[in-house]
Amino acid sequence: MSKLRYLALVAVFAIVAAACSSGGTTDTTAASGGGSGDGGSDAPIEIGMWIAFSDEARLGFTKDRAKEFNELHPEYNVVVQEFDSYNTVFEQAVLAVDSGEPPAIIHFFEAATRQALDAVDASGNPVFKSVTDAVAGRGAILGEPVVLDDVVDAARNYYTVEGSFYSQPWNTSSAIMFSNTDMLKAAGVDKIPATWGEVEAACEKVMAMDNAPKACITWPNHSWFVEQSLGQQGELLANNDNGRSGRATEVFLTSDGMIDYISWWKDMADKGYYIYTGAQRDWDGTSNAFQAQEVAMLVYSSSDTTALTEAGDANGFTVEASFMPYNEAKGYEGNLIGGATLWLLNGLDEKTQDGALAFLQFFNNPENAAEWHKITGYIPITKSAEKLLEDEGWYEQSPNSKVASDQLAAAKDTPATRGALVGNFVSIRDVITIAIEDILVNDLDVAERMAQANEEANKLLTEYEQLFGG
Amino acid sequence: MLIPALAVAALFGAAYMAFAVGHRTPARVAIGAGAATVGAAAPPLALGQCTFGAESTSVDHVLTYALMAGGAWLALIVTRAVFDSRDGKSEAAGSSMGGEIRSGGFRLGWWVPWALLAPTLAILAVFLYTPAVQTFTLSTKLARLGAPRTVDVCLTNFSELLIQDPFKLVLYPLLAIGAVYGARFWIRRTEPGTWNHRFAEVASVGAMLSVFVALYAIFSPGGDGTVKYRPVYVNTVIISVGIVAFGMIAGLAVAYLAFQKVKGATMYRTLLIWPYAISPAVAGILFFMLLDPTAGIISNGLKEWFGIRMPNYRESAILAQAAIIMASGWKILGYNVLFYLAGLQTVSVDQVEAAVLDGASPWQRFVHIVLPALSPITFFLLVTNLTYAFFEVFATIDYMTKGAPAGATSVSIYEIIRVGVDNGDLGRGAAQSVLLFAAVIAVTLWQFRTSGKRVSYGGG
């Protein structure tokens, strides 16, 4: 009980802080929230939606779609509330569930899938409901056609747990490589490197140039890239088929694939080919280095395909996207997805739930999904959206945008490429990036340091299973 | 194990009352023994005696004994204060100030001051004391944000921060405490002005440093399922000391310059205080914008004009720590300047003029007149700056380095938020914040005891 009170107190602070930072929105939320309780006929039913994007492009897109939906369905009022990171949304959602005021739709990243499935409220009921169960086989909800069956396989496979397609995919990406082809050509590299060996050979040429850049390649020290490499090499991160045939109870941070990838990474850094920006999860620093032509290649999320391509145009160089380089010694099994999905709150009354479901389908209808893809670089989430873009001639116009979809379609469907579902995943990812930083900065032995990380990560997982497991 | 330890506490309490206080009535000795026993029994009882359970380790036992000793010590201090006030033997400071207070008083009754205090106390209880108590409770649990249950882990959250060798765990702190008290004893037994006394003073500085060394030795370097806390401790010491030293020395220097009679001094003074109005997060962003090797202003300038490539401060532990110290020290600079400017106005002009007539150089005047006159301000700033360095640097670090490289700028408050909030590990986060709480109490007490004697408040 005491923990609850503590959390309530934190929630009070959070509410005060939220009220200070965005007075207007909170006021309207509170006002219309009061009217919606009894589902009265006059006031529209409020559907809260919490998302982890606060940038103009992505937040603006979401708010515009909510506005359109509200005009189409005046009986509903979708209210979008933004947060600055996936972690913040997750924390706030957990607190809101405890205090009894959670929104109907919450945006979670892929690493929180296990935690979202395990989340229970104070009386022990699951916090979220499977979207498939809520749709219950209907073809359309309030006139909005259901797009769940149309979702591309890679996303469906990742978010299908225990046979149920749980959350509504929205922003889905993959890790791909962006090359400054002008620089590569100047160094005499005519073909974009596709394997570790080719990357190394290209880097040797790039760094041998007279006006060599600061380094040849970079990517953020984010565990996601490690997971991508494990998928490519066909290796598991966790037991029980990456936590998909049963709850994961052990993670493998000392597997061959893991050690090989990090050793290659360290080797590239030691040779001066890879530049470490000095911070973990440094999306901005690595992207800036590429845009400032301080590196020739960038392994990154496809979510920024549009922005990076445009930045190249603006700075006078050509950006070409390609598959993430793989280990030629192991072969290629496939990359996995990243990004986030929208989760539906459990225990909503039928009218609110249908409104939320209808919005989710509207939000991801072919036109909206295609538009979302265009402004960002997240893959078109449904096959119809892909077809729409093809018919429009979008891919001829911007070939970089197709790479992520192609890469995901090229993956074999195995537990390794479906990605791991692990409890405490966010912390375990931290353990991995801390270890890698230690290895890169302090020049440590890879196997030794990863053995230590393995111990820490498994302790975290064991503790999680103690608190959440069956 | 509990009963023998309590017996030791009772004996010690009795001995303390008999010898240290000097009132050797049997009643008081008995009360001393009782107080020490109760104080020593409180921590293990509050923990539900889990520290002596089947799963407890010898490190847990050592921690428990330390807590019991602390409880007994606290109880004895309180008991002694009660006896002293009953004997009318108030502290020296109380004699002049206490007199003034006693001349006032509330005629309506004893409850009036309490009624006036009630609103403040209520707010403190709700927003400060309750969460504090709950943090203590949480620190003995394995708890995660949103988890359906918690698991009691007793003192594991604390013991895993320490080395797992109970012998060293007892030995090092005892050696350090022995050194501190030994040096104090030596100083007391020597005459001021003699060489012997000077050696003793040097030894007392060494003894103080030995406390830091002992703490370094007892925090775990990682491995064997423990938390790698030693680097966090080292970073905290380096960065906090750096911020306080830089902030205060630069603050005094700037204030002294701004205090000179120059044209437009008022404007300078106003401008100098501005950094204080900036939040730590903004300070972090500002210095990030200055120092970032790719997007930074300084690196661009160096590259454009001199063709120099600036090193990435986030890749080197020393540069990263220096950057944090610079940003945080700059942020607190305005605050220090403000107080030093106010302090400089109180320095007696007569004394300075007399020193000028006596032929003292500006440097001599500064060292022998201005500095001692500023000592109350310096003492106050030492406490506030240290609190700032312990608690307020999170945002600056988060924007500038995020604890990089390899945790070299992860100080204790950063670690608490990383563990407790980002990773959602509430129990460990709570345990680390209890540790930081204890550290701040200890540092403040130590400052009051040592600096208090050297601070001159002027007057009688």
Side-chain angles (χ1 to χ4, degrees), chain A residues 172-209:
Chain A
T172 300
S173 60
S174 190
I176 57 176
M177 185 164 82
F178 296 91
S179 300
N180 180 340
T181 44
D182 296 342
M183 201 186 280
L184 289 184
K185 273 186 195 132
V189 182
D190 295 323
K191 186 179 152 282
I192 291 182
T195 64
W196 293 0
E198 286 173 24
V199 168
E200 222 167 318
C203 281
E204 202 178 335
K205 288 185 183 169
V206 168
M207 297 313 285
M209 287 195 295

Side-chain angles (χ1 to χ4, degrees), chain A residues 43 65-66 99 106 148 186 189 206 314 349 356 409 421 429-430:
Chain A
R65 297 296 89 75
S99 63
I106 304 180
L148 276 181
V189 182
V206 168
D349 64 83
L421 289 181
R429 281 181 152 185
D430 262 9

Side-chain angles (χ1 to χ4, degrees), chain B residues 250-263:
Chain B
L252 179 57
V254 169
Y256 199 59
L257 289 176
F259 189 65
Q260 307 302 316
K261 289 189 179 66
V262 288
K263 231 179 183 177

Side-chain angles (χ1 to χ4, degrees), chain A residues 1-11 95 98, chain B residues 126 129-141 143-145 147-150 152 426 430:
Chain A
M1 271 326 279
S2 65
K3 201 176 107 254
L4 282 183
R5 261 180 289 153
Y6 171 74
L7 290 177
L9 202 68
V10 178
L95 296 175
D98 257 353
Chain B
V126 171
Y129 300 144
T130 318
V133 169
Q134 282 170 351
T135 306
F136 279 104
T137 320
L138 207 52
S139 69
T140 61
K141 292 189 180 345
R144 293 197 63 82
L145 206 55
R149 52 182 176 266
T150 60
D152 268 317
L426 296 175

Side-chain angles (χ1 to χ4, degrees), chain A residues 17-331:
Chain A
C20 294
S21 61
S22 59
T25 358
T26 320
D27 286 349
T28 50
T29 314
S32 51
S36 71
D38 52 11
S41 52
D42 299 318
I45 297 178
E46 177 168 316
I47 295 168
M49 179 190 195
W50 285 5
I51 64 167
F53 296 141
S54 52
D55 57 295
E56 188 50 45
R58 294 183 289 186
L59 176 64
F61 173 87
T62 314
K63 286 197 162 162
D64 289 348
R65 297 296 89 75
K67 209 173 143 212
E68 286 168 20
F69 181 83
N70 293 343
E71 277 160 16
L72 283 170
H73 302 270
E75 70 273 29
Y76 291 106
N77 181 27
V78 177
V79 178
V80 180
Q81 171 72 53
E82 76 274 20
F83 292 87
D84 62 355
S85 73
Y86 288 127
N87 273 350
T88 322
V89 177
F90 190 77
E91 282 156 24
Q92 294 302 318
V94 170
L95 296 175
V97 167
D98 257 353
S99 63
E101 293 284 332
I105 302 168
I106 304 180
H107 187 205
F108 281 148
F109 60 157
E110 85 290 36
T113 306
R114 182 74 258 169
Q115 258 150 304
L117 287 168
D118 290 341
V120 290
D121 63 15
S123 37
N125 298 316
V127 170
F128 298 106
K129 186 169 189 174
S130 154
V131 180
T132 318
D133 292 354
V135 167
R138 287 175 283 180
I141 294 159
L142 304 176
E144 302 293 346
V146 173
V147 300
L148 276 181
D149 293 338
D150 197 25
V151 168
V152 295
D153 293 340
R156 172 199 309 287
N157 293 339
Y158 190 101
Y159 294 108
T160 299
V161 187
E162 288 145 22
S164 182
F165 190 9
Y166 241 88
S167 50
Q168 178 90 37
W170 171 28
N171 57 313
T172 300
S173 60
S174 190
I176 57 176
M177 185 164 82
F178 296 91
S179 300
N180 180 340
T181 44
D182 296 342
M183 201 186 280
L184 289 184
K185 273 186 195 132
V189 182
D190 295 323
K191 186 179 152 282
I192 291 182
T195 64
W196 293 0
E198 286 173 24
V199 168
E200 222 167 318
C203 281
E204 202 178 335
K205 288 185 183 169
V206 168
M207 297 313 285
M209 287 195 295
D210 286 339
N211 54 343
K214 206 165 172 179
C216 172
I217 190 170
T218 193
W219 60 86
N221 175 13
H222 193 300
S223 169
W224 188 49
F225 296 97
V226 180
E227 292 150 31
Q228 294 281 345
S229 182
L230 288 180
Q232 290 183 332
Q233 302 182 60
E235 294 210 12
L236 296 177
L237 180 64
N239 68 348
N240 291 332
D241 294 325
N242 259 346
R244 287 175 181 278
S245 62
R247 291 184 74 92
T249 53
E250 194 186 351
V251 285
F252 313 121
L253 304 194
T254 50
S255 64
D256 290 347
M258 187 72 112
I259 300 293
D260 287 352
Y261 179 64
I262 299 172
S263 301
W264 177 68
W265 187 343
K266 180 177 188 299
D267 190 42
M268 293 283 289
D270 288 348
K271 286 180 177 156
Y273 296 163
Y274 171 88
I275 185 163
Y276 185 47
T277 56
Q280 296 164 48
R281 295 171 294 280
D282 189 6
W283 295 101
D284 290 344
T286 47
S287 171
N288 288 345
F290 181 71
Q291 292 180 35
Q293 307 204 51
E294 287 178 349
V295 292
M297 291 174 274
L298 170 74
V299 183
Y300 210 67
S301 166
S302 69
S303 62
D304 286 33
T305 305
T306 308
L308 284 169
T309 311
E310 282 170 3
D313 288 344
N315 293 319
F317 65 93
T318 317
V319 176
E320 212 169 297
S322 60
F323 285 14
M324 176 176 163
Y326 66 96
N327 181 1
E328 64 273 27
K330 278 273 182 65

